[in-house]
Each structure stands twice: as C-alpha cells, then as structure tokens.
Amino acid sequence: MEFLTDGIMALTWQQLVMYAVGITLIWLAIKKGFEPALLLPMGFGAILVNLPFSGVVNQTLTGGIQANGVIEWMFHVGIEASEVMPILLFIGIGAMIDFGPLLSGPSLFLFGAGAQFGIFAAILVAALLGFRLTDAASIGIIGAADGPTSILVSQVLGSRYIGAIAVAAYSYMALVPIVQPFAIRLVTTKKERCIHMDYNPKSVSKIIRIAFPIAVTMIVGLVAPQSVALVGFLMFGNLIRECGVLGTMSDTAQNILANLITLLLGITISFSMRADQFVTKDTLLILVIGLFAFVMDTIGGVLLAKFMNLFLKKKINPMIGGAGISAFPMSSRVIQKMAMEEDPTNVILMQAAGANVSGQIASVIAGGMVINLAASCDQANTVMAALTIMGKGMAGIFAAILIILLLVWILRKVSR
C-alpha cells in the first residue's frame, strides 16, 4: 500500500509555499472581494498544478505511458501557441466600455498616455537589477494595469516569469483602491485634491461612436503593429456595442464571453505557477517592481495634470491624471471617492471615467510598443536598451494619442 503515500512523500517545501500562495489568492477573492473572477481560479489552479504527480499537467507514468494534463494543454493551446485567451477577453472588455465621456472631452486622452510612465520606469529598474531585456520588458508591462496585456507581452517575448507577472498584474489591479490613494497623496496637496471641475457633456453622435473604434484600430495598427491583436479585438468589441444592430451579441460579449474567458484564463495561467519556477528570489523582485510600476503610473498621470495646470486658467484636479491607468472602472471610482472624502460636493467621476478609458487604449499601445522595441533593441546592453525603450516608448504613445486627438477633432467637425 506504499503507493498511497507516494504523493505525500514527494512533497517539497516549495510546493507547500505554493499551497499557501493559492489559499491566499482564494482568501483575497472571497473574503476581500479582490478580482474574484481571476484570483479564485488562479489560486485554485496553483494548488492543482503543484500536487505531486498531478493529473492536470503532463506526466510519464510507470511503463512509459504518457498522460496529458488538461491545464498544461490549455496553456499550450490557449496562451503559448496563439495567445487566444487574453486576446478574446478584449472583445468582452471593449463591449463593456462607453467611450462617450472621453469623446465628449478628448483632452482626457493625454492622461492615458501620461499614466503609462510606470511601465518604462519599471523596465529600467528591472534592467538595473540584472534581468535580461525581454524579461525586464515583460515585468515592466505589469504597470499597464491590464492583466491580458501583461500575459500577452510576456508570452510573445518569451519571458521566463509569466506566472509571477500574471499574479502581480492581477493582484495589483485588485489593490488599486489601496495603492492609488497612497500614490496620489504623495504628490498632491489637499487644495489640489479639492479642485472642482465643470462637466458639460457634449453630444456624441452615433457616427462618431461607430467611426472611432475603426479609425483608432487603423491608426494604432500603423504606429504600433504588434498591438493590432489587442487594440483590434478591443475596438471590435466596442463596435459591437455601438453599432446598434447587435444588441444580443453585445450582451453576450459583455457577460457570457467575458466571464467564460476570464474563468478559463485564470485557471490556465496557473500552469506557470509551478513551484520550481515560481518560488524564487526573482518572483519577489517582480512583485516589488510591479508595485513600483503601479505607483509610478499613477504619479506619472498626476504630474502630467499638474504640468498642464501651469498653462490653464481653469485648473484640472490632478487626481484625474491618476485615473489614466487601464484598471477600468475601478480607478475612476477610487478617484471619485477620494474627491468626496476631501469635499463631499466635488463630483469628478465623469472626467475620471474618461481618463480611465483612455488608459485602456494607451495600455494596449504601450504593449505593442514594448514588444516592437524590446525585440529590436540590443539584447546585450540591457540598461542602455531599457533607456531607449523608455524614450521611444513614451514618445510613441504620446504621438499616437495626439494623432487620435486630431482624428476625434476632425470627426466632430465633419459630423456637425
């Protein structure tokens, strides 16, 4: 009967650590309500793939019999071979997004660009800490505050740390209500946080709503070709929403498709959370760098708003800049809550929502930029390459956003 204890005898301390990680993720999902649709399947999957001789990963049984595991198969087919799961999720995300507040105040696009600074700052930090360039670029993209983009970039660049990157990206997305207020208070005064902003929504015609996703896909595809899959599926989902003739399909994308892909993506990504790969010093460094990226994203957007205020008569509440990250709609809600804590009469939710959805577009542009630049830079001189990626990446994002701004202005003129 010794075979009954084979599994227990094969346990390692690293696997026990992963059980603790998995249970912690499940606890955060259930008890704290932090991104439960993702953290719960990731946590449970982390337990499944770390059971000795687990049947969810490929095994060679006694007698040389090959047994294929379902989670490993889903990982190879749905993420490694085609990145289909994170890309399909963008259809659902696009169908959920209302670009109305952003199209009503196009200048909010700029905050989506400014709030990507943390990505490139984190790439530089990771390079300085000795990570190879493709790993540093993959780690930096945690700052996109966008789990599917983080998974896609790390997979395309062949990062060795896809599991740690996915856990960091989704965990910090869930911790936005804790991380963002801390970062914003570091660089703002109470007076700045109390600034009121008028919201005078301009009507956005159906023509603009339909033309916008088509035109953005073409512009971003020309500027950052590697982001076509991300931005294309995001905008396709939004076109389904706005066209007005696919109501049932839009509902399906927002609910059934998004929920199903999220569920499968969470448990599939756990394949890269096996103990031998996950329980390392590098994983702890990635978690720290990821937190740094999130903080610097928020600070980058806030500082851009403060810089713009130097030239504006009607001041912008700089907290709006912090909403330029991709974590929609969580970040805009956090900004509104902070505004009301300072002044219960201050309502800046719509401006924050506009900046927040601009972050969705800017983050996928950033993902494409990072892939293009990391693949073309000198892999040997990592720090200099990281500096190059930082300079060219931020310039490219702002250039793309300014072109989109010009496009929106033309569409508004034409549709009048």
Side-chain angles (χ1 to χ4, degrees):
M1 299 294 287
E2 291 84 359
F3 73 93
L4 293 176
T5 61
D6 285 349
I8 297 174
M9 298 304 294
L11 274 173
T12 65
W13 70 268
Q14 292 96 334
Q15 288 171 325
L16 294 174
V17 170
M18 290 311 302
Y19 299 156
V21 169
I23 291 169
T24 299
L25 293 178
I26 294 171
W27 178 80
L28 288 172
I30 297 174
K31 182 68 176 179
K32 298 296 184 180
F34 290 165
E35 293 288 338
L38 279 161
L39 294 191
L40 192 146
M42 283 174 67
F44 194 72
I47 295 173
L48 292 180
V49 300
N50 284 291
L51 290 169
F53 318 119
S54 174
V56 298
V57 297
N58 296 347
Q59 299 284 341
T60 301
L61 304 180
T62 303
I65 298 173
Q66 294 294 320
N68 295 325
V70 62
I71 290 183
E72 184 166 352
W73 176 82
M74 287 195 299
F75 181 85
H76 290 315
V77 173
I79 295 179
E80 188 175 56
S82 62
E83 297 87 34
V84 66
M85 286 190 188
I87 290 173
L88 284 178
L89 184 56
F90 267 83
I91 297 178
I93 294 171
M96 296 176 194
I97 295 177
D98 177 10
F99 285 114
L102 180 59
L103 294 172
S104 182
S107 61
L108 295 170
F109 265 113
L110 294 171
F111 299 123
Q116 306 309 310
F117 174 73
I119 293 173
F120 302 99
I123 291 174
L124 179 58
V125 169
L128 288 169
L129 289 174
F131 287 95
R132 67 179 186 176
L133 183 60
T134 51
D135 288 328
S138 302
I139 293 166
I141 209 68
I142 294 171
D146 186 340
T149 300
S150 298
I151 293 170
L152 181 70
V153 171
S154 58
Q155 184 59 40
V156 170
L157 292 179
S159 173
R160 296 169 291 183
Y161 305 107
I162 183 172
I165 289 168
V167 169
Y170 283 117
S171 297
Y172 291 136
M173 280 173 62
L175 294 174
V176 162
I178 297 172
V179 175
Q180 279 214 297
F182 164 77
I184 289 171
R185 290 191 176 100
L186 279 179
V187 290
T188 59
T189 64
K190 181 175 176 64
K191 182 179 178 181
E192 288 174 327
R193 296 193 294 271
C194 288
I195 292 175
H196 283 239
M197 297 175 67
D198 297 327
Y199 181 63
N200 300 311
K202 299 177 177 63
S203 61
V204 180
S205 69
K206 186 174 180 178
I207 293 175
I208 293 179
R209 288 179 177 270
I210 292 174
F212 179 73
I214 299 171
V216 166
T217 301
M218 296 175 67
I219 290 171
V220 175
L222 292 170
V223 174
Q226 285 298 325
S227 66
V228 168
L230 293 171
V231 75
F233 277 60
L234 180 74
M235 291 300 161
F236 174 61
N238 189 250
L239 185 60
I240 292 173
R241 172 195 177 99
E242 300 295 353
C243 69
V245 294
L246 295 172
T248 303
M249 193 175 290
S250 175
D251 291 340
T252 299
Q254 294 180 47
N255 297 291
I256 298 172
L257 176 65
N259 288 333
L260 179 60
I261 295 297
T262 299
L263 179 70
L264 293 176
L265 181 62
I267 201 164
T268 299
I269 202 65
S270 67
F271 173 70
S272 57
M273 296 172 67
R274 288 163 295 161
D276 58 333
Q277 297 180 355
F278 197 90
V279 184
T280 66
K281 179 189 71 174
D282 288 345
T283 296
L284 292 176
L285 283 176
I286 289 168
L287 294 174
V288 173
I289 297 169
L291 178 59
F292 170 78
F294 262 65
V295 171
M296 293 307 297
D297 269 347
T298 301
I299 289 176
V302 171
L303 293 181
L304 176 61
K306 293 178 70 154
F307 175 75
M308 291 171 63
N309 278 343
L310 297 176
F311 309 97
L312 297 174
K313 288 185 179 178
K314 247 183 178 176
K315 304 300 182 186
I316 299 169
N317 189 315
M319 292 195 296
I320 295 296
I325 66 171
S326 180
F328 177 82
M330 192 183 306
S331 181
S332 52
R333 292 173 180 167
V334 168
I335 300 305
Q336 177 56 47
K337 182 180 178 182
M338 290 185 67
M340 295 194 73
E341 286 173 354
E342 303 290 352
D343 180 351
T345 66
N346 194 6
V347 179
I348 55 174
L349 179 61
M350 296 311 292
Q351 292 92 337
N356 210 175
V357 296
S358 77
Q360 283 282 340
I361 298 174
S363 69
V364 297
I365 296 174
M369 291 277 183
V370 167
I371 292 173
N372 283 341
L373 293 170
S376 61
C377 282
D378 179 11
Q379 301 290 318
N381 196 339
T382 307
V383 175
M384 287 304 299
L387 286 169
T388 300
I389 291 173
M390 175 181 280
K392 290 184 177 181
M394 287 302 296
I397 291 172
F398 271 101
I401 292 298
L402 288 173
I403 294 171
I404 294 172
L405 269 173
L406 177 61
L407 166 72
V408 172
W409 181 79
I410 293 172
L411 286 175
R412 290 174 62 169
K413 287 290 184 182
V414 170
S415 65
R416 283 179 182 174

